[in-house]
């Protein structure tokens, strides 16, 4: 063992000291304060764009001040009840989190972007006594604003620690699933790092081996962001770097200016970053393109250092990285979905070591690939189970079966629809709902979710994640999702591709997309049966992953949110209407379409689809409805929204409404 590895082992063993405590949340907080000491806990940008920071000692002071305020504000509330934390990532998020626990309440972590109805629903089901938020909404539950907490003045306070933290599923309507973790669970989650030095000295290390500045972009209400960024890295006294927004320019600026060394995010982020590089390469001269391609090939083991020449030097790598996330990055993790081979190749190729990880709300973070061998990283496996965690593949075939997880970090109970029950385990194992496999080296990989498996006519199981990768580079596509849609009167499903397109896409470009999809050779003779276009945006869970089930439900219920790319429209009948009167309606309607779409009149065909053929979108559709109602002095029934998609449709609807007014 090298001296460097010995230092990392000694440093990471700080986690084992938690096992000598009562394993309570207060013990974790005490360790965070001790390990952080006078080091910077955060870097952030003020309103003038200047980088600011403060130390762990200041964090401790703020946490006590905030706790005193919360405790006083909720003095008449029953202790040990949930208090919802609905605040965006920022330096004060963690301080408020600890303050809620100090005040004797359970933090219930919620997405700051959750709409009022969803937040109120969650408050009702969880029986929360208060909600802390930076939004402008009023709630039936007691609300404490973010500003009043951070502006509180220090006062005498004696903590009455609570020991549980609550996470919620991404759904915020109907019966929400809540997962309850206690201090024991989260102490063991931190201890999951204990075996890491056996394979890497780059994921967490002492300051003597370099600074650790981790990008705090993954929402802390999400298990990935909470465990892998907030909990682990503050326990070891590292610095969290906050970005003004998740806009690509702000993320890149934060990484470069704050010297970010660790970036953990979801596949959508890594896909976007790799595409940015590809777009920039397309604008470069051929010689520079050749140099970058050699850099990618060298760093992924395809060519030798001699073959790469100048492209293999740290100088050239630094030039390329300077235009992306800077040249300080030492470790990157992708989690929350399938990582494409192309994205993995590009990111590792430019010298950003990108690893794949696995976790879920019910069990926390349970594995991450740690190998320094780039060929292993490019396999996109999730590595082996972390310290204290056991993986098992259900059934006799270790290459394909449900992933079962065992370990002391699994949540202790759950709340569904306000009803509490213990966590369901099978001989100590939690059923993940993910189909996984193990290769000959003992590395695990994820194939997809059980509930998202598509069953085709031959009874074969098809995994959407595996197919989506084939359509990663479709032009003019913002988001995509492969899913199964039930066939009428059949047990099997159509394999469908749902797409969210650029607003400015043309009919010709849509036709090209359709051709690319139809010409794509998929494995096992699989074929995309139908292509759907979203009228609005594809729904995302926690702004990170497309919600397949929501799309599937909308298509099967015929809500009108999705239209077939090659849908054959029925001819609209105007039988019974005066043709002279219709001429005036047609003329005005075509003019409205032309004005809103900024298209010449001759390009507005009467049966041209608002999105598919004319390049409109959901936002301009709202304007269309309003304009039609104002210009014709009619009220279009809300149930027709989305179903009226062309001039003919609108003319028929308006003509009918005008006739009814006579």
């Amino acid at each position: 063992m090298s001296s460097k590895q010995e230092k990392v082992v000694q440093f990471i063993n700080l986690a084992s000291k938690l096992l000598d405590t009562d394993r309570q949340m207060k013990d974790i907080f005490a360790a965070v304060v001790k390990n952080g000491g006078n080091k910077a806990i955060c870097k952030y940008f003020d309103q003038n764009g200047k980088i600011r920071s403060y130390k762990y000692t200041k964090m401790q002071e703020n946490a006590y001040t905030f706790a005193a305020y919360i405790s006083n504000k909720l003095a008449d509330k029953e202790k040990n009840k949930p208090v919802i934390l609905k605040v965006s990532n920022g330096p004060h998020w963690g301080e408020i989190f600890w303050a809620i626990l100090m005040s004797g309440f359970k933090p219930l972590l919620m997405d700051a972007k959750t709409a009022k109805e969803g937040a109120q629903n969650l408050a009702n089901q969880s029986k929360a006594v208060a909600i802390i938020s930076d939004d402008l909404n009023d709630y039936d539950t007691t609300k404490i604003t973010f500003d009043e907490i951070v502006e509180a003045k220090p006062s005498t306070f004696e903590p009455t620690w609570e020991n549980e933290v609550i996470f919620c599923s991404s759904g915020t309507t109907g019966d929400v699933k809540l997962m309850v973790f206690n201090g024991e669970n989260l102490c063991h989650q931190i201890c999951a790092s204990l075996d890491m030095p056996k394979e890497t000295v780059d994921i967490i290390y002492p300051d003597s081996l370099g600074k650790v500045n981790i990008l705090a972009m993954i929402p802390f209400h999400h298990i990935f962001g909470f465990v892998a960024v907030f909990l682990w890295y503050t326990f070891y006294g590292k610095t969290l770097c906050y970005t003004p927004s998740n806009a690509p320019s702000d993320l890149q600026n934060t990484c470069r200016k704050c010297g970010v060394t660790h970036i953990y995010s979801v596949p959508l982020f890594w896909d976007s970053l790799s595409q940015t590089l590809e777009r920039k390469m397309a604008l470069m001269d051929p010689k520079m393109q050749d140099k970058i391609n050699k850099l990618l090939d060298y760093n992924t083991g395809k060519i030798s250092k001699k073959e790469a020449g100048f492209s293999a030097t740290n100088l050239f790598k630094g030039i390329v990285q300077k235009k992306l996330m800077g040249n300080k990055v030492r470790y990157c993790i992708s989690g929350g979905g399938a990582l494409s081979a192309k994205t993995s190749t590009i990111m590792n190729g430019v010298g950003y070591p990108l690893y794949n990880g696995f976790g879920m709300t019910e069990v926390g973070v349970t594995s991450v690939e740690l190998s320094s061998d780039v060929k292993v990283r490019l396999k996109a496996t999730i590595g082996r189970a972390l310290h204290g965690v056991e993986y098992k593949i259900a059934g006799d075939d270790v290459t394909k079966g449900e992933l079962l997880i065992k370990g002391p970090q699994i949540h202790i109970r759950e709340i569904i629809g306000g009803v509490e029950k213990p966590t369901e385990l099978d001989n100590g194992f939690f059923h993940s709902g993910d189909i996984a496999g193990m290769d000959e080296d003992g590395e695990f990989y994820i194939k997809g979710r059980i509930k998202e498996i598509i069953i085709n006519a031959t009874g074969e199981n098809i995994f959407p994640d595996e197919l989506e990768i084939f359509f990663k580079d479709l032009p003019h596509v913002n988001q995509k999702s492969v899913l199964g849609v039930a066939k009428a009167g059949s047990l099997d499903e159509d394999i469908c591709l749902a797409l969210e397109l650029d607003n400015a896409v043309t009919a010709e470009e849509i036709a090209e997309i359709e051709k690319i999809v139809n010409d794509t050779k998929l494995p096992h003779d699989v074929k995309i049966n139908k292509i759907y276009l979203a009228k609005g945006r594809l729904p995302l869970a926690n702004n990170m992953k497309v919600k397949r089930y929501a799309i599937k439900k909308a298509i099967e219920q015929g809500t009108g949110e999705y239209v077939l790319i090659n849908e054959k429209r029925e001819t609209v009948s105007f039988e019974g209407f005066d043709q002279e009167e219709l001429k005036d309606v047609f003329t005005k309607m075509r003019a409205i379409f032309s004005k809103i779409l900024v298209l010449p009149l001759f390009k507005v065909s009467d049966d041209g689809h608002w999105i598919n053929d004319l390049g409109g979108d959901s936002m301009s559709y709202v304007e269309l409805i309003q304009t039609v109602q104002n210009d014709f002095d009619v009220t279009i029934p809300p149930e027709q929204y989305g179903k009226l998609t062309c001039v003919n449709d609108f003319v028929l609807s308006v003509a009918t409404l005008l006739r009814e007014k006579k």
Side-chain angles (χ1 to χ4, degrees):
M1 184 182 293
S2 67
S3 60
K4 184 175 183 179
Q5 190 176 23
E6 287 178 352
K7 289 180 180 179
V8 175
V9 168
Q10 184 178 2
F11 179 68
I12 287 183
N13 275 339
L14 288 172
S16 63
K17 295 182 180 180
L18 281 174
L19 303 181
D20 296 328
T21 68
D22 293 331
R23 306 178 189 179
Q24 304 280 303
M25 293 305 296
K26 63 180 180 181
D27 298 316
I28 296 177
F29 180 74
V32 167
V33 172
K34 180 179 179 181
N35 297 338
N38 285 316
K39 293 182 289 187
I41 187 174
C42 63
K43 290 183 181 180
Y44 63 98
F45 293 86
D46 65 16
Q47 293 180 340
N48 298 316
K50 293 184 178 180
I51 297 176
R52 303 294 185 187
S53 66
Y54 56 82
K55 300 176 180 179
Y56 276 81
T57 49
K58 179 62 175 177
M59 180 277 292
Q60 182 186 24
E61 293 176 14
N62 287 344
Y64 272 90
T65 297
F66 298 169
Y69 184 86
I70 293 171
S71 185
N72 182 62
K73 187 85 172 182
L74 303 179
D76 61 336
K77 305 296 183 183
E78 182 181 352
K79 296 288 187 180
N80 308 118
K81 293 294 185 181
V83 168
I84 294 173
L85 178 54
K86 185 178 181 288
V87 173
S88 303
N89 281 19
H92 296 312
W93 189 97
E95 296 160 357
I96 297 175
F97 168 80
W98 291 116
I100 294 171
L101 286 163
M102 285 184 192
S103 305
F105 298 98
K106 307 176 193 294
L108 196 169
L109 310 185
M110 179 188 284
D111 187 348
K113 297 184 180 67
T114 302
K116 176 182 178 179
E117 295 74 14
Q120 188 62 63
N121 179 53
L122 183 57
N124 295 340
Q125 291 197 29
S126 65
K127 300 179 176 62
V129 296
I131 180 168
I132 298 173
S133 177
D134 51 7
D135 65 30
L136 301 177
N137 297 321
D138 292 322
Y139 298 96
D140 294 339
T141 311
T142 299
K143 179 182 177 181
I144 307 177
T145 68
F146 173 81
D147 288 342
E148 64 182 288
I149 290 180
V150 299
E151 292 170 4
K153 304 299 182 184
S155 62
T156 303
F157 173 72
E158 187 66 33
T160 55
W161 280 90
E162 169 56 48
N163 191 43
E164 293 183 345
V165 181
I166 306 174
F167 294 83
C168 64
S169 61
S170 57
T172 50
T173 58
D175 286 344
V176 182
K177 182 179 180 181
L178 306 175
M179 279 67 72
V180 182
F181 290 77
N182 63 14
E184 174 94 12
N185 300 144
L186 296 177
C187 280
H188 281 289
Q189 182 69 86
I190 294 171
C191 288
S193 62
L194 288 172
D195 293 335
M196 288 181 177
K198 295 177 182 178
E199 296 193 66
T200 180
V201 295
D202 289 323
I203 193 167
I204 300 178
Y205 44 85
D207 287 353
S208 61
L209 298 178
K211 292 290 185 182
V212 173
N213 297 316
I214 185 165
L215 186 64
M217 67 171 293
I218 297 291
F220 289 163
H221 77 272
H222 191 276
I223 198 72
F224 185 13
F226 180 83
V227 168
V229 180
F230 173 73
L231 191 65
W232 269 350
Y233 283 90
T234 58
F235 173 81
Y236 284 106
K238 303 307 179 182
T239 304
L240 308 182
C241 299
Y242 295 96
T243 177
S245 77
N246 278 352
S249 58
D250 277 339
L251 290 169
Q252 291 176 331
N253 185 58
T254 300
C255 288
R256 291 192 288 254
K257 289 193 173 183
C258 294
V260 166
T261 58
H262 291 64
I263 306 174
Y264 298 168
S265 194
V266 294
L268 289 176
F269 169 78
W270 299 113
D271 287 345
S272 174
L273 194 58
S274 66
Q275 288 169 4
T276 296
L277 178 61
E278 287 183 297
R279 293 190 192 106
K280 289 183 177 180
M281 282 182 63
L283 300 175
M284 297 175 183
D285 64 77
K287 289 184 179 180
M288 179 58 74
Q289 289 183 23
D290 181 61
K291 289 178 182 178
I292 294 178
N293 282 325
K294 285 182 177 178
L295 172 70
L296 302 182
D297 288 344
Y298 170 69
N299 282 327
T300 53
K302 294 178 181 177
I303 62 175
S304 67
K305 187 173 184 178
K306 182 178 180 180
E307 291 173 305
F310 177 66
S311 296
T313 64
N314 287 331
L315 174 61
F316 183 69
K317 182 174 70 174
I319 292 172
V320 176
Q321 291 181 345
K322 187 176 181 180
K323 296 184 179 299
L324 295 172
M325 310 302 282
N327 57 6
K328 302 292 186 183
V329 178
R330 289 178 61 169
Y331 212 92
C332 304
I333 294 177
S334 178
L339 180 66
S340 78
K342 183 176 182 181
T343 293
S344 182
T345 298
I346 291 175
M347 298 318 304
N348 281 287
V350 296
Y352 292 146
L354 179 58
Y355 302 78
N356 211 18
F358 177 80
M360 55 192 307
T361 308
E362 293 86 346
V363 301
V365 176
T366 52
S367 67
V368 61
E369 181 55 66
L370 297 169
S371 175
S372 59
D373 186 345
V374 68
K375 293 180 180 178
V376 175
R377 295 203 296 273
L378 292 179
K379 290 164 58 178
T381 58
I382 59 171
R384 299 178 178 86
L386 295 175
H387 180 86
V389 181
E390 182 182 349
Y391 280 173
K392 184 169 72 172
I393 304 296
D396 298 327
D397 184 359
V398 296
T399 66
K400 185 174 65 176
E402 184 180 8
L403 179 65
L404 307 182
I405 305 171
K406 187 176 185 179
Q409 82 295 339
I410 296 174
H411 72 294
I412 56 171
R413 69 180 185 280
E414 54 193 39
I415 306 169
I416 302 178
V419 179
E420 295 194 20
K421 66 174 185 176
T423 303
E424 292 184 8
L425 299 176
D426 182 359
N427 291 320
F429 284 91
F430 181 81
H431 284 257
S432 70
D434 282 300
I435 296 296
M438 183 177 68
D439 64 18
E440 63 278 4
D441 297 320
E443 300 275 338
F444 287 82
Y445 54 90
I446 301 296
K447 296 178 71 68
R449 295 287 294 166
I450 290 176
K451 66 181 181 180
E452 294 175 349
I453 292 175
I454 303 169
I455 303 174
N456 68 6
T458 64
E460 182 182 2
N461 289 344
I462 298 165
F463 301 96
D465 283 343
E466 293 182 348
L467 298 188
E468 280 184 9
I469 291 173
F470 287 87
F471 304 108
K472 173 184 173 294
D473 298 313
L474 286 176
H476 312 292
V477 173
N478 296 327
Q479 299 286 359
K480 65 187 176 306
S481 180
V482 173
L483 63 151
V485 175
K487 293 181 180 179
S490 175
L491 294 178
D492 60 300
E493 298 176 310
D494 279 323
I495 305 172
C496 300
L497 176 63
L499 302 175
E500 175 193 317
L501 303 182
D502 290 337
N503 290 342
V505 68
T506 66
E508 290 78 12
E509 289 165 339
I510 291 176
E512 179 62 21
I513 292 170
E514 181 180 13
K515 184 178 186 304
I516 293 173
V517 172
N518 290 335
D519 291 346
T520 300
K521 294 181 180 179
L522 300 176
H524 313 302
D525 297 321
V526 172
K527 181 177 176 58
I528 298 295
N529 304 122
K530 295 179 179 178
I531 307 170
Y532 285 92
L533 301 181
K535 292 182 178 178
R537 295 186 180 279
L538 291 186
L540 298 180
N542 297 307
N543 295 308
M544 293 190 289
K545 188 175 181 181
V546 175
K547 298 165 71 172
R548 285 196 184 100
Y549 180 73
I551 301 172
K552 174 183 173 72
K553 184 177 179 182
I555 292 175
E556 291 179 346
Q557 292 182 350
T559 62
E561 299 171 59
Y562 302 89
V563 294
L564 283 169
I565 199 169
N566 54 359
E567 187 173 29
K568 299 294 187 294
R569 295 185 51 79
E570 294 181 5
T571 302
V572 177
S573 173
F574 294 97
E575 185 178 352
F577 288 92
D578 184 285
Q579 296 303 309
E580 289 300 318
E581 292 180 359
L582 284 177
K583 283 184 181 179
D584 183 54
V585 179
F586 266 109
T587 300
K588 292 176 65 174
M589 192 66 68
R590 291 170 189 141
I592 292 172
F593 269 58
S594 174
K595 181 180 179 181
I596 296 175
L597 292 167
V598 194
L599 285 175
L601 273 172
F602 74 88
K603 286 194 174 184
V604 180
S605 59
D606 291 344
D607 62 351
H609 192 282
W610 180 259
I611 294 176
N612 298 6
D613 303 318
L614 304 178
D617 56 38
S618 58
M619 293 182 66
S620 56
Y621 187 82
V622 174
E623 183 183 355
L624 173 65
I625 292 286
Q626 293 173 342
T627 304
V628 168
Q629 292 184 145
N630 291 336
D631 287 9
F632 288 98
D633 191 25
V634 296
T635 300
I636 296 175
E639 59 268 21
Q640 291 188 15
Y641 293 2
K643 296 179 181 179
L644 307 179
T645 61
C646 64
V647 169
N648 282 338
D649 288 345
F650 274 91
V651 168
L652 179 60
S653 177
V654 168
T656 301
L657 293 170
L658 290 174
R659 185 167 62 180
E660 291 173 353
K661 288 178 66 175
K662 290 183 178 179

